[in-house]
Amino acid sequence: CTGFANAQEENSNDFKRWQVRVRGVAVTPDESASIGIIGGDASISSTFIPELDFTYFFNKNIAAELILGTSKHDVHTTGSDISAIGGPTHTDVDLGSVYLLPPTLTLQYHFMPDCSFRPYAGAGINYTIFYGVDEGSTVKDVEYDNAFGFALQAGLDYAINDKFFVNVDVKKIFLKTDVTVDASNLADGLSIPAEVDINPWLFGFGVGMKF
């Protein structure tokens, strides 16, 4: 393969240990849910966001990456039965929107660190914070529990020169949260629990710099 490492870099630990990337990322939930009382399933919208990440190389092959970004998603149930409060037996219930802040730390293996094409794979952990909840116009409130999850990752850096590169990356985050819907405005004391698997795919493309 073609690389940019020089002889001094090859024979010492004097190589650039840090890199930073800016990506555009498509966030596509692979959602499913178990919804109490009214039944049905969950639908969570896809979105496109900017993302920033930092990578530290312990050596030329092993690195740790911290991914930072936040996304907003519209949420509703599908096929729910609200006949008990005078509604239809199969309908969608608007649950407004919510922001997700999912910092993710992965440990990576870089297969060909001295080549122009530098593929890598990684795995790690995620902690998702739910904030900025807008419950919409149907129910009184929606609460999401912050949650840990696991992450898998694969990607490719392509070196433009010894400092700058372009990147493509895909991640799968395995994320589950408990949701409580306060629908007491529709029926006295009505609270609807749900277990929601969000499990988003993240498809990214961007540019980076080593330093």
XYZ file of all heavy atoms in Angstrom, residues 102-181:
636
model
N -26.014 11.482 22.813
C -25.476 10.132 23.039
C -23.949 10.046 22.949
O -23.416 9.455 22.000
C -26.120 9.352 21.896
C -26.176 10.361 20.761
C -26.213 11.734 21.377
N -23.188 10.640 23.889
C -21.738 10.471 23.825
C -21.359 8.993 23.807
O -21.881 8.202 24.583
C -21.231 11.183 25.084
C -22.420 11.263 25.996
C -23.604 11.367 25.104
N -20.454 8.641 22.902
C -20.099 7.242 22.675
C -18.581 7.107 22.634
O -17.900 7.870 21.942
C -20.700 6.743 21.346
O -22.120 6.933 21.382
C -20.398 5.273 21.115
N -18.063 6.148 23.383
C -16.628 5.883 23.422
C -16.364 4.493 22.864
O -16.931 3.508 23.348
C -16.118 5.968 24.865
C -14.620 5.741 25.076
C -13.803 6.845 24.416
C -14.302 5.644 26.573
N -15.536 4.420 21.830
C -15.212 3.134 21.221
C -13.706 2.884 21.265
O -12.898 3.816 21.221
C -15.690 3.053 19.760
O -15.056 4.078 18.982
C -17.198 3.200 19.672
N -13.348 1.617 21.354
C -11.965 1.176 21.223
C -11.821 0.581 19.830
O -12.595 -0.314 19.454
C -11.620 0.143 22.290
C -10.151 -0.322 22.327
C -9.242 0.827 22.739
C -9.994 -1.496 23.292
N -10.835 1.073 19.060
C -10.735 0.725 17.648
C -9.446 -0.042 17.346
O -8.421 0.157 18.013
C -10.725 1.989 16.784
C -11.929 2.878 16.946
C -11.740 4.199 16.209
O -10.621 4.681 16.035
N -12.845 4.786 15.785
N -9.517 -0.860 16.294
C -8.325 -1.453 15.703
C -8.201 -0.927 14.276
O -9.126 -1.083 13.464
C -8.389 -2.980 15.701
C -7.092 -3.600 15.221
C -6.038 -3.775 16.105
C -6.913 -3.955 13.890
C -4.831 -4.320 15.672
C -5.715 -4.495 13.446
C -4.676 -4.665 14.350
O -3.479 -5.188 13.924
N -7.061 -0.298 13.973
C -6.781 0.240 12.638
C -5.872 -0.742 11.911
O -4.757 -1.021 12.347
C -6.137 1.620 12.754
C -7.079 2.656 13.290
N -7.614 3.646 12.493
C -7.582 2.830 14.534
C -8.416 4.405 13.235
N -8.410 3.933 14.471
N -6.365 -1.262 10.773
C -5.731 -2.419 10.140
C -4.478 -2.075 9.350
O -3.533 -2.848 9.318
C -6.742 -3.131 9.233
C -7.888 -3.735 9.988
C -9.080 -3.040 10.143
C -7.772 -4.988 10.565
C -10.138 -3.590 10.854
C -8.822 -5.553 11.272
C -10.011 -4.839 11.421
N -4.453 -0.928 8.676
C -3.304 -0.576 7.822
C -2.924 0.879 8.084
O -3.173 1.758 7.250
C -3.661 -0.808 6.356
C -3.962 -2.269 6.029
S -4.273 -2.569 4.263
C -5.828 -1.701 4.032
N -2.354 1.167 9.246
C -2.162 2.557 9.661
C -1.204 3.365 8.800
O -1.247 4.592 8.823
C -1.628 2.417 11.087
C -1.001 1.060 11.137
C -1.847 0.210 10.263
N -0.336 2.719 8.019
C 0.627 3.446 7.200
C 0.214 3.520 5.730
O 1.001 3.938 4.883
C 2.008 2.798 7.311
C 2.557 2.876 8.726
O 2.375 3.934 9.355
O 3.134 1.881 9.199
N -1.006 3.126 5.425
C -1.503 3.152 4.053
C -2.365 4.383 3.808
O -2.824 5.054 4.730
C -2.322 1.896 3.768
S -1.379 0.368 3.878
N -2.619 4.667 2.541
C -3.566 5.729 2.198
C -4.981 5.341 2.617
O -5.731 6.159 3.155
C -3.521 6.010 0.695
O -2.259 6.488 0.309
N -5.364 4.084 2.352
C -6.650 3.553 2.806
C -6.435 2.906 4.165
O -5.651 1.966 4.296
C -7.199 2.525 1.808
C -7.718 3.126 0.538
C -6.904 3.216 -0.578
C -9.013 3.608 0.453
C -7.365 3.773 -1.761
C -9.496 4.167 -0.724
C -8.665 4.255 -1.834
N -7.159 3.410 5.187
C -6.947 2.924 6.544
C -8.274 2.460 7.148
O -8.969 3.212 7.825
C -6.327 4.030 7.399
C -5.008 4.562 6.843
C -4.263 5.407 7.856
N -4.919 6.666 8.127
C -4.568 7.828 7.580
N -3.565 7.877 6.700
N -5.202 8.928 7.896
N -8.674 1.211 6.918
C -9.913 0.695 7.513
C -9.742 0.437 9.003
O -8.638 0.193 9.495
C -10.158 -0.605 6.754
C -8.793 -1.046 6.329
C -8.011 0.204 6.073
N -10.859 0.480 9.720
C -10.833 0.221 11.154
C -12.176 -0.367 11.590
O -13.191 -0.249 10.897
C -10.539 1.504 11.948
C -11.542 2.613 11.729
C -12.701 2.715 12.490
C -11.324 3.582 10.752
C -13.618 3.734 12.284
C -12.224 4.602 10.539
C -13.376 4.682 11.307
O -14.286 5.689 11.095
N -12.155 -1.001 12.759
C -13.374 -1.518 13.386
C -13.285 -1.215 14.872
O -12.190 -1.122 15.438
C -13.519 -3.016 13.143
N -14.444 -1.055 15.494
C -14.428 -0.707 16.904
C -15.679 -1.173 17.631
O -16.684 -1.549 17.015
N -15.593 -1.139 18.943
C -16.732 -1.467 19.804
C -16.591 -0.650 21.074
O -15.474 -0.301 21.489
C -16.776 -2.956 20.122
N -17.734 -0.337 21.698
C -17.646 0.468 22.910
C -18.973 0.640 23.600
O -19.896 -0.171 23.434
N -19.053 1.719 24.378
C -20.237 1.987 25.190
C -20.800 3.358 24.851
O -20.092 4.243 24.366
C -19.936 1.894 26.696
C -18.828 2.893 27.086
C -19.567 0.476 27.092
C -18.619 2.993 28.587
N -22.068 3.487 25.140
C -22.806 4.718 24.878
C -23.653 5.054 26.106
O -24.168 4.152 26.783
C -23.702 4.519 23.647
C -24.868 5.494 23.596
O -25.944 5.188 24.104
N -24.653 6.639 23.015
N -23.782 6.334 26.391
C -24.719 6.782 27.417
C -25.572 7.873 26.796
O -25.052 8.925 26.389
C -24.007 7.320 28.650
C -24.969 7.709 29.763
C -25.658 6.728 30.478
C -25.199 9.043 30.088
C -26.539 7.067 31.486
C -26.083 9.398 31.102
C -26.744 8.404 31.802
O -27.626 8.742 32.797
N -26.862 7.630 26.678
C -27.755 8.569 26.012
C -28.559 9.368 27.029
O -29.209 8.796 27.910
C -28.709 7.838 25.051
O -27.937 7.220 24.017
C -29.699 8.808 24.418
N -28.499 10.686 26.872
C -29.264 11.622 27.693
C -30.421 12.148 26.848
O -30.216 12.644 25.732
C -28.371 12.781 28.169
C -27.202 12.239 29.006
C -29.176 13.800 28.956
C -26.111 13.257 29.235
N -31.625 12.021 27.366
C -32.810 12.538 26.698
C -33.158 13.905 27.305
O -33.248 14.036 28.526
C -33.992 11.580 26.877
C -33.777 10.231 26.256
C -33.103 9.227 26.947
C -34.244 9.951 24.974
C -32.890 7.979 26.381
C -34.039 8.704 24.403
C -33.365 7.719 25.108
N -33.345 14.905 26.451
C -33.636 16.243 26.962
C -34.505 17.002 25.951
O -34.745 16.530 24.838
C -32.332 17.007 27.241
C -31.577 17.436 26.001
C -31.659 18.752 25.537
C -30.784 16.538 25.288
C -30.966 19.156 24.400
C -30.086 16.944 24.157
C -30.186 18.251 23.718
O -29.512 18.644 22.592
N -34.938 18.169 26.360
C -35.733 19.011 25.460
C -37.004 18.353 24.985
O -37.404 18.517 23.822
N -37.672 17.631 25.878
C -38.891 16.905 25.493
C -40.023 17.887 25.193
O -40.335 18.777 25.992
C -39.321 15.933 26.603
C -40.630 15.233 26.220
C -38.230 14.914 26.879
N -40.629 17.728 24.032
C -41.871 18.433 23.674
C -42.932 17.356 23.526
O -42.881 16.551 22.598
C -41.677 19.209 22.380
C -42.943 19.943 21.939
O -44.020 19.736 22.548
O -42.871 20.711 20.967
N -43.872 17.316 24.457
C -44.843 16.217 24.486
C -45.897 16.309 23.386
O -46.714 15.389 23.225
C -45.536 16.161 25.846
C -46.400 17.359 26.155
C -45.628 18.551 26.692
O -44.404 18.420 26.889
O -46.252 19.616 26.907
N -45.923 17.389 22.610
C -46.917 17.529 21.561
C -48.256 17.978 22.111
O -48.370 18.420 23.256
N -49.272 17.842 21.307
C -50.595 18.393 21.656
C -51.582 17.349 22.161
O -52.722 17.687 22.483
C -51.190 19.099 20.429
O -51.325 18.182 19.349
N -51.155 16.080 22.274
C -52.107 15.016 22.630
C -52.070 14.669 24.106
O -53.111 14.619 24.776
C -51.832 13.751 21.794
O -51.902 14.077 20.407
C -52.865 12.682 22.112
N -50.869 14.415 24.642
C -50.749 13.977 26.031
C -50.168 15.099 26.888
O -49.679 16.119 26.382
C -49.874 12.712 26.139
C -50.490 11.578 25.326
C -48.442 12.987 25.686
N -50.200 14.895 28.203
C -49.743 15.935 29.129
C -48.229 15.999 29.234
O -47.642 17.089 29.285
C -50.344 15.680 30.525
C -50.020 16.759 31.541
C -50.707 16.478 32.866
C -50.379 17.573 33.890
N -51.066 17.322 35.187
N -47.561 14.836 29.254
C -46.111 14.824 29.431
C -45.558 13.473 28.980
O -46.278 12.466 28.966
C -45.746 15.077 30.889
C -44.275 15.386 31.091
O -43.614 15.796 30.112
O -43.779 15.214 32.219
N -44.266 13.470 28.620
C -43.554 12.229 28.277
C -42.194 12.277 28.972
O -41.482 13.282 28.875
C -43.350 12.072 26.757
C -42.690 10.729 26.450
C -44.672 12.205 26.007
N -41.852 11.203 29.667
C -40.563 11.112 30.346
C -39.765 9.940 29.788
O -40.295 8.840 29.621
C -40.741 10.926 31.854
C -41.380 12.119 32.556
C -41.458 11.925 34.063
O -41.022 10.844 34.542
O -41.957 12.827 34.746
N -38.478 10.193 29.530
C -37.560 9.171 29.028
C -36.453 8.969 30.061
O -35.890 9.937 30.573
C -36.917 9.606 27.707
C -37.876 9.847 26.572
C -38.555 11.059 26.460
C -38.083 8.876 25.598
C -39.422 11.295 25.405
C -38.943 9.102 24.540
C -39.619 10.315 24.449
O -40.477 10.546 23.406
N -36.106 7.714 30.337
C -35.000 7.417 31.234
C -33.687 7.414 30.456
O -33.580 6.753 29.402
C -35.185 6.042 31.890
C -36.296 6.034 32.929
O -36.783 7.126 33.285
O -36.667 4.933 33.384
N -32.695 8.154 30.963
C -31.357 8.061 30.382
C -30.867 6.619 30.470
O -31.222 5.891 31.403
C -30.392 8.988 31.104
C -30.791 10.448 30.985
O -31.531 10.832 30.089
N -30.297 11.262 31.896
N -30.028 6.212 29.520
C -29.687 4.782 29.461
C -28.308 4.546 28.859
O -27.831 5.320 28.012
C -30.729 4.035 28.634
N -27.662 3.454 29.316
C -26.429 2.956 28.719
C -26.767 2.016 27.564
O -27.810 1.366 27.556
C -25.591 2.190 29.747
C -24.812 3.069 30.681
C -25.297 3.318 31.956
C -23.602 3.632 30.295
C -24.584 4.115 32.834
C -22.886 4.434 31.153
C -23.367 4.684 32.433
N -25.841 1.941 26.609
C -25.979 1.001 25.519
C -24.613 0.601 24.995
O -23.585 1.151 25.408
N -24.586 -0.363 24.093
C -23.352 -0.802 23.455
C -23.304 -0.269 22.029
O -24.342 0.025 21.423
C -23.261 -2.325 23.447
C -23.138 -2.921 24.826
C -24.240 -3.477 25.454
C -21.922 -2.912 25.487
C -24.139 -4.016 26.722
C -21.801 -3.454 26.762
C -22.915 -3.998 27.380
N -22.093 -0.162 21.497
C -21.924 0.372 20.147
C -20.931 -0.477 19.361
O -19.919 -0.943 19.909
C -21.428 1.817 20.197
N -21.219 -0.688 18.086
C -20.295 -1.305 17.138
C -20.012 -0.309 16.027
O -20.877 0.519 15.683
C -20.889 -2.590 16.557
C -21.151 -3.731 17.538
C -21.835 -4.892 16.811
C -19.863 -4.196 18.207
N -18.822 -0.406 15.431
C -18.385 0.612 14.483
C -17.472 0.005 13.432
O -16.691 -0.905 13.703
C -17.626 1.701 15.255
C -16.982 2.782 14.430
C -16.160 3.733 15.284
O -15.539 3.316 16.268
N -16.154 5.006 14.932
N -17.571 0.521 12.198
C -16.621 0.196 11.138
C -16.471 1.418 10.260
O -17.428 2.192 10.070
C -17.101 -0.999 10.317
N -15.274 1.627 9.741
C -15.070 2.807 8.929
C -13.780 2.751 8.131
O -13.026 1.771 8.174
N -13.544 3.846 7.411
C -12.373 3.952 6.559
C -11.916 5.398 6.506
O -12.721 6.304 6.237
C -12.708 3.467 5.138
C -11.621 3.649 4.079
C -10.470 2.682 4.326
C -12.204 3.437 2.680
N -10.633 5.624 6.798
C -9.993 6.911 6.565
C -9.185 6.823 5.279
O -8.474 5.828 5.046
C -9.057 7.281 7.717
C -9.798 7.555 9.016
O -10.917 8.107 8.965
O -9.255 7.203 10.076
N -9.269 7.869 4.449
C -8.434 7.932 3.240
C -7.561 9.175 3.325
O -8.062 10.300 3.389
C -9.277 7.964 1.968
C -8.429 8.124 0.733
C -7.648 7.071 0.270
C -8.372 9.346 0.054
C -6.839 7.209 -0.846
C -7.569 9.494 -1.060
C -6.800 8.422 -1.505
O -5.988 8.568 -2.604
N -6.242 8.985 3.351
C -5.304 10.080 3.540
C -5.196 10.940 2.285
O -4.958 10.435 1.184
C -3.935 9.529 3.917
N -5.387 12.241 2.468
C -5.125 13.211 1.399
C -3.641 13.581 1.402
O -3.005 13.685 0.359
C -6.002 14.457 1.591
C -7.485 14.070 1.559
C -5.704 15.508 0.523
C -8.422 15.189 1.955
N -3.100 13.782 2.598
C -1.659 13.972 2.801
C -1.343 13.468 4.199
O -2.154 12.744 4.788
C -1.249 15.432 2.579
C -2.078 16.398 3.415
O -2.403 16.124 4.574
N -2.427 17.542 2.832
N -0.190 13.839 4.754
C 0.178 13.290 6.058
C -0.592 13.911 7.214
O -0.433 13.493 8.360
C 1.683 13.427 6.303
C 2.140 14.878 6.326
O 1.333 15.770 5.987
O 3.318 15.110 6.671
N -1.458 14.889 6.939
C -2.212 15.574 7.998
C -3.718 15.454 7.843
O -4.443 15.248 8.823
C -1.800 17.045 8.041
C -2.379 17.831 9.206
C -1.796 19.226 9.259
C -2.297 19.990 10.484
N -1.707 21.362 10.560
N -4.210 15.578 6.619
C -5.653 15.618 6.388
C -6.141 14.337 5.713
O -5.410 13.703 4.943
C -6.030 16.832 5.532
C -5.764 18.146 6.210
C -4.616 18.877 5.912
C -6.655 18.648 7.145
C -4.361 20.083 6.541
C -6.406 19.857 7.788
C -5.255 20.583 7.483
N -7.408 13.983 5.992
C -7.987 12.768 5.423
C -9.501 12.917 5.344
O -10.087 13.798 5.973
C -7.613 11.540 6.262
C -8.038 11.631 7.708
C -9.254 11.129 8.128
C -7.204 12.214 8.658
C -9.648 11.209 9.458
C -7.578 12.297 9.990
C -8.804 11.797 10.390
N -10.110 12.066 4.543
C -11.571 11.973 4.494
C -11.984 10.672 5.154
O -11.184 9.737 5.278
C -12.126 12.068 3.058
C -11.844 13.438 2.467
C -11.550 10.965 2.185
N -13.241 10.597 5.570
C -13.689 9.467 6.378
C -15.111 9.069 6.021
O -15.970 9.919 5.771
C -13.628 9.858 7.864
C -14.299 8.843 8.772
O -15.434 9.035 9.203
N -13.607 7.756 9.073
N -15.349 7.761 6.004
C -16.704 7.205 6.000
C -16.806 6.270 7.195
O -15.824 5.611 7.562
C -17.056 6.471 4.694
C -17.165 7.445 3.542
C -16.032 5.393 4.382
N -17.989 6.222 7.808
C -18.115 5.502 9.072
C -19.561 5.054 9.254
O -20.498 5.771 8.881
C -17.716 6.439 10.215
C -17.722 5.768 11.574
O -18.786 5.764 12.232
O -16.668 5.260 11.987
N -19.728 3.878 9.833
C -21.061 3.399 10.195
C -21.019 2.848 11.610
O -20.046 2.187 11.996
C -21.582 2.338 9.191
C -20.675 1.118 9.156
C -23.013 1.940 9.524
N -22.048 3.170 12.379
C -22.155 2.673 13.745
C -23.553 2.100 13.973
O -24.524 2.540 13.355
C -21.924 3.792 14.769
C -20.588 4.461 14.701
C -20.489 5.532 15.777
C -19.256 6.379 15.562
N -19.374 7.235 14.365
N -23.602 1.150 14.879
C -24.868 0.615 15.369
C -24.846 0.755 16.885
O -23.936 0.236 17.547
C -25.036 -0.851 14.973
C -26.288 -1.523 15.521
C -27.551 -1.003 14.873
C -28.759 -1.881 15.246
N -30.006 -1.417 14.597
N -25.825 1.461 17.428
C -25.925 1.631 18.872
C -27.129 0.836 19.369
O -28.233 0.982 18.846
C -26.059 3.118 19.255
C -24.804 3.882 18.816
C -26.277 3.278 20.758
C -24.862 5.365 19.086
N -26.886 -0.014 20.357
C -27.946 -0.842 20.926
C -28.457 -0.122 22.177
O -27.827 -0.152 23.228
C -27.417 -2.231 21.243
C -26.923 -2.956 20.023
C -25.597 -2.862 19.632
C -27.791 -3.709 19.250
C -25.130 -3.516 18.506
C -27.346 -4.370 18.118
C -26.010 -4.272 17.750
N -29.612 0.527 22.026
C -30.107 1.450 23.042
C -31.567 1.162 23.366
O -32.409 1.082 22.470
C -29.956 2.891 22.542
C -30.526 3.988 23.427
C -29.801 4.050 24.767
C -30.453 5.333 22.715
N -31.838 1.006 24.655
C -33.206 0.785 25.129
C -33.503 1.793 26.236
O -32.638 2.087 27.066
C -33.362 -0.642 25.670
C -34.731 -0.937 26.262
C -34.797 -2.329 26.868
C -34.743 -3.398 25.812
N -34.962 -4.758 26.380
N -34.723 2.323 26.253
C -35.119 3.261 27.298
C -36.526 2.951 27.786
O -37.355 2.428 27.032
C -35.055 4.718 26.792
O -35.421 5.613 27.851
C -36.012 4.942 25.631
N -36.770 3.258 29.052
C -38.122 3.177 29.608
C -38.778 4.543 29.463
O -38.184 5.579 29.799
C -38.075 2.782 31.079
C -37.606 1.348 31.281
O -37.907 0.506 30.419
O -36.936 1.077 32.298
N -39.999 4.530 28.964
C -40.745 5.762 28.703
C -42.039 5.740 29.511
O -42.711 4.704 29.588
C -41.070 5.912 27.195
C -41.824 7.202 26.929
C -39.790 5.854 26.370
N -42.382 6.875 30.102
C -43.643 7.009 30.812
C -44.428 8.166 30.210
O -43.936 9.305 30.176
C -43.419 7.278 32.314
O -42.628 6.228 32.863
C -44.754 7.338 33.046
N -45.608 7.854 29.713
C -46.471 8.865 29.103
C -47.563 9.245 30.098
O -48.353 8.395 30.523
C -47.105 8.340 27.800
C -48.038 9.390 27.195
C -46.022 7.933 26.805
